[in-house]
Amino acid sequence: MICLGIESTAHTAGIGIMNEKGDVLANERDTFTTEEGGMIPRELAEHHVEKFPQVLKNAFEKAKISWGEIDCISYSAGPGMGPALSTGATLARMLSLLHNKPLVAVNHCVAHIEIGKQTTGCEDPLVVYASGGNSQIIGYETGKYRVYGETLDIGVGNLLDSFGRQMGLGFPAGPIIDKMYFEGKNYIELPYSVKGMDLNFSGVLTSAKQKIGKEDKTDLAYSLMHTGFAMLTEVTERALAHTEKKEVLLVGGVAASKALQKMIGEMCEDRGIKMFVCPVPLAIDNGAMIAWTGLIMFKKGRTTEIEKATTNQRFRTDLEKINWV
Ligand code: ATP
Ligand code: FE2
C-alpha cells in the first residue's frame, strides 16, 4: 500500500510518498522564505500554488512510481493558516478526482507525532511537540491524543525567532541561538511563566527584547532559551508523573535543538525514562508525515468524502479520533 501526502499548513509546500513498511519513497518540498516581515498568509498561498506542480513532479521522479501504484491521497487539514491550507486541500481534491483515489484528511499535529513514532520506534510516548507555531505536551489516552499542557500565546520556536529577529540574527534564529546556548556563561534573570500545566512565552520575550543592547548578546540568548526550555521541561516532567509514561518523544522543528535535548534528556535520565528525538528532515513540516498518517488512517477505514475534504485553521490535536493506536 502506498500513500501520497500533501503538506501546506504554513511555510512548506510538501509532497511525500510512503509505503506500508514505513519507507520514505519521496519527501519533496519548497519552503517559502522572506528577508523581512515574516509569513503573510496570502503570500504563502501564492507560493504554494506556484510551487506545487514542480514539487509533485519531483516527488514522482524520486519515488519512481506511477499514479497507478498510489492507493490514497492525504492532506494536512489543519491547524494552519487558512489561505495556505486551502492550496493543499484543493490540490488533494483535484488529484483525487483526476486519478480516482480516495482522500484522507489528516491533522498536522497528529502527523508530527506519528512520523516521530515511526522513525524512532517508540511505542507510547509522552510527546513534546515544539515548533514555531506550536508547543504542546501530548499523550495517547482512550482514543485521543490528549494535550496535557500547551502554550497560551506563542510557540517556543516563535519565541526564539522573534527575539533573534530583533537581535539581527536573521530567520530562523532558533538554530543560531541553539549554538549560543552552549557559549553563554551568565544567566540573566527573565520572567518564568508556567500556569498550571500551561505556558506563556510572551512575557519572557518582551523582557528579553528590552534587555538587548544592555546585556551581553550571548548571555541573553542563552538565558532566553534556558528559561523557555525550563518551562517546557517542568510541564513535561509533571505530565510524566501524571501519565506514568516511560518514553518521551521530541517532535517539531525545535526538537533539533541540542539545548532542548540536553535539558529534557537530563530530566528523563533522572526519572529512568527513555528519550527519543524525531530526526530533522521528518521533524520539520513535510509531506511524508502526512502520507504516513494518511496511510495508517486509510488502513483503519478512515477516508474523507470529497465534499467534506475541507480545512480547519483551528484543528486541535485532541479533536482527531485516534482508532489506530
Ligand atoms: P508548526 O506548523 O508545526 O508550528 P512550524 O511551521 O513552526 O511548525 P517547524 O519546521 O516545525 O515549522 O519548526 C520551525 C522552528 O524550529 C523555527 O522556529 C526554528 O527556529 C526552530 N528550530 C529549527 N532548528 C532549531 C534548532 N537547532 N534549535 C532551536 N530551534 C530550532
Ligand atoms: Fe508543523
Side-chain angles (χ1 to χ4, degrees), residues 11 108 112 129 131-134 157 161 172 174-175 178 253-254 256-257 284-285:
H11 42 60
H108 176 90
H112 272 295
Y129 168 33
S131 64
N134 291 285
D161 294 337
D178 196 38
V254 185
S257 164
I284 57 178
D285 290 356

Side-chain angles (χ1 to χ4, degrees), residues 47 49 60 69 91 125 131-132 154-155 188 191 206 227 241 260 264 279 290 293 301 307 313 322 325:
H47 167 267
V49 168
F60 273 97
E69 294 165 81
L91 177 62
S131 64
I154 56 173
I188 296 153
T206 307
T227 308
L260 185 68
I264 301 236
I290 307 301
T293 310
E307 297 78 20
Q313 292 193 61
I322 310 297
V325 174

Side-chain angles (χ1 to χ4, degrees), residues 30 44-55 87:
D30 194 306
L44 293 178
E46 280 167 7
H47 167 267
H48 297 351
V49 168
E50 189 193 323
K51 303 297 182 186
F52 262 136
Q54 188 62 46
V55 176
T87 65

Side-chain angles (χ1 to χ4, degrees), residues 181 183-189 215-224 226:
Y181 178 89
E183 291 153 14
K185 293 194 174 62
N186 304 300
Y187 179 76
I188 296 153
E189 197 74 32
E215 302 278 1
D216 178 78
K217 261 190 168 188
T218 310
D219 284 344
L220 195 53
Y222 152 74
S223 305
L224 175 90
H226 193 73

